[in-house]
Amino acid sequence: MENKNIIDIKNLNKSFSEVKAVQDLSFVVKEGELFAFLGVNGAGKSTTISIICGQLAKDSGEVFVCGDNIDKGIANITKELGVVFQNSVLDASLSVKDNLQSRAALYGIKGTAFKERLAELAKLLDFEDLLGRTVGKLSGGQRRRIDIARALLHRPRILILDEPTTGLDPQTRKLLWNTIESLRKDENMTVFLTTHYMEEAAGADYVIILDSGKIVAKGTPLELKNTYTGDFITLYNVTDEQIEKLGLEYEKVRDGIIVSVPNTAAATQLIIEHPEIFTDYEITKGKMDDIFLAVTGKKLTGGEGK
């Protein structure tokens, strides 16, 4: 059975004076999927998220979240959303436990219910030993774990992650992604992600690339790779003379030679025609970075996004 639409945006527009931040944006997010929303700084990502969360008024268009129209049901919608912003929203002067307790109280989670939920999240995100620590004394990775716990306190159906792993060490990034994957598997949670790390987007179910407030590409990672990039063959233990036979442009790398081909079928044809050259090789599809560059003409690099 096909998953239903949990976010449905139709013809969304938002301007700030002369700047058209979001222009005629339409897309859907399916329940339970990992949805990647990509674009350079200023592309319209954070503006769209702020509208979905009810923090920013749209100029025109329709936005439905969990079946509710944000114009009428924003109170219901906010109960279903957990948001992890780029910059931490925790109170640096309070302890981890006090931060989470004050947030939980806003959702009516108190007493035993809070203790049980806190214990669950502390185990899931590995911060049981940090509960009494003042947030201001935590490392960036530790603080990020608490940010995510804060967003998960009320068991939201949708987790919005606005560049959640920027600046984190590999170990913390791995922990966060393991947590996210377990939540998707166990609770069918929908994850709406913006990121500058293309390998994170490569694992998404569906990807949208924004440029100047407009959608310039959309599809599954495989669809995007097949549409916007070719395949790369890396050949090992070959001579320049052998490579010249292929009649293709090539690039020398440390251990071998890389040849670009339009698609996997073209790679297969080359192998059939030149078996003596293809004794040691590997074929890879273009990466998400290649797609992003092909679509926008820009590289996606870390930093603060809009």
Side-chain angles (χ1 to χ4, degrees), residues 15-33:
S15 295
F16 299 99
S17 299
E18 300 300 311
V19 178
K20 292 181 178 177
V22 174
Q23 302 182 61
D24 199 29
L25 207 59
S26 297
F27 64 87
V28 298
V29 179
K30 300 284 185 186
E31 187 170 24
E33 78 178 356

Side-chain angles (χ1 to χ4, degrees), residues 21 30 73 76 81-82 152 156 167 177 197 205 227 259 264 270 278-279 286:
K30 300 284 185 186
N76 290 333
L81 296 176
L152 294 173
W177 276 108
Y197 294 107
D205 297 299
T227 303
V259 177
T264 309
L270 274 180
F278 290 86
T279 55

Side-chain angles (χ1 to χ4, degrees), residues 13-272:
N13 289 283
K14 178 65 181 179
S15 295
F16 299 99
S17 299
E18 300 300 311
V19 178
K20 292 181 178 177
V22 174
Q23 302 182 61
D24 199 29
L25 207 59
S26 297
F27 64 87
V28 298
V29 179
K30 300 284 185 186
E31 187 170 24
E33 78 178 356
L34 172 57
F35 180 93
F37 199 51
L38 308 179
V40 296
N41 296 340
K45 306 186 304 295
S46 293
T47 298
T48 305
I49 287 172
S50 295
I51 291 169
I52 291 171
C53 297
Q55 295 182 325
L56 190 63
K58 57 186 169 56
D59 294 341
S60 62
E62 291 184 298
V63 177
F64 295 88
V65 181
C66 299
D68 285 312
N69 188 321
I70 62 163
D71 291 338
K72 300 167 188 171
I74 193 63
N76 290 333
I77 289 169
T78 52
K79 290 175 190 170
E80 304 291 1
L81 296 176
V83 187
V84 179
F85 297 99
Q86 262 177 271
N87 299 315
S88 179
V89 291
L90 300 168
D91 189 326
S93 62
L94 294 179
S95 71
V96 168
K97 182 179 178 182
D98 288 345
N99 261 281
L100 296 176
Q101 192 162 13
S102 60
R103 181 65 179 176
L106 296 177
Y107 294 100
I109 305 168
K110 299 174 183 176
T112 306
F114 170 69
K115 282 181 186 173
E116 288 175 356
R117 185 60 174 153
L118 181 65
E120 278 177 9
L121 292 171
K123 186 176 182 184
L124 184 68
L125 286 156
D126 191 24
F127 62 86
E128 290 151 307
D129 57 338
L130 301 176
L131 290 171
R133 291 269 293 277
T134 303
V135 164
K137 294 179 180 174
L138 300 181
S139 69
Q142 291 169 334
R143 197 175 301 126
R144 191 41 112 206
R145 283 185 260 160
I146 312 308
D147 278 320
I148 291 180
R150 178 183 183 275
L152 294 173
L153 279 165
H154 59 299
R155 301 184 190 276
R157 289 173 64 192
I158 303 169
L159 181 63
I160 296 177
L161 301 171
D162 195 3
E163 294 181 32
T165 58
T166 298
L168 296 188
D169 61 274
Q171 187 180 353
T172 305
R173 283 175 67 189
K174 189 171 190 307
L175 170 68
L176 296 190
W177 276 108
N178 287 346
T179 302
I180 289 161
E181 285 308 307
S182 69
L183 289 166
R184 290 183 62 215
K185 182 181 168 190
D186 299 338
E187 301 182 20
N188 198 32
M189 180 178 284
T190 305
V191 178
F192 187 108
L193 170 75
T194 80
T195 181
H196 278 108
Y197 294 107
M198 289 291 94
E199 68 269 30
E200 294 179 348
D205 297 299
Y206 200 81
V207 178
I208 278 182
I209 299 176
L210 283 186
D211 193 16
S212 302
K214 295 178 182 175
I215 294 174
V216 290
K218 59 183 178 179
T220 66
L222 180 60
E223 287 168 349
L224 292 174
K225 286 175 184 179
N226 286 339
T227 303
Y228 295 104
T229 73
D231 287 14
F232 298 95
I233 309 171
T234 306
L235 288 141
Y236 304 103
N237 303 315
V238 289
T239 64
D240 288 355
E241 188 182 7
Q242 285 177 309
I243 282 293
E244 295 292 347
K245 276 189 190 176
L246 298 178
L248 297 169
E249 286 189 15
Y250 61 89
E251 177 190 352
K252 287 188 176 182
V253 290
R254 182 175 173 180
D255 296 321
I257 288 172
I258 297 177
V259 177
S260 299
V261 290
N263 50 47
T264 309
T268 305
Q269 192 60 38
L270 274 180
I271 294 164
I272 292 169

Side-chain angles (χ1 to χ4, degrees), residues 2-18:
E2 189 179 340
N3 286 1
K4 63 184 180 184
N5 297 343
I6 197 163
I7 298 175
D8 192 348
I9 292 182
K10 299 174 182 175
N11 310 112
L12 182 65
N13 289 283
K14 178 65 181 179
S15 295
F16 299 99
S17 299
E18 300 300 311

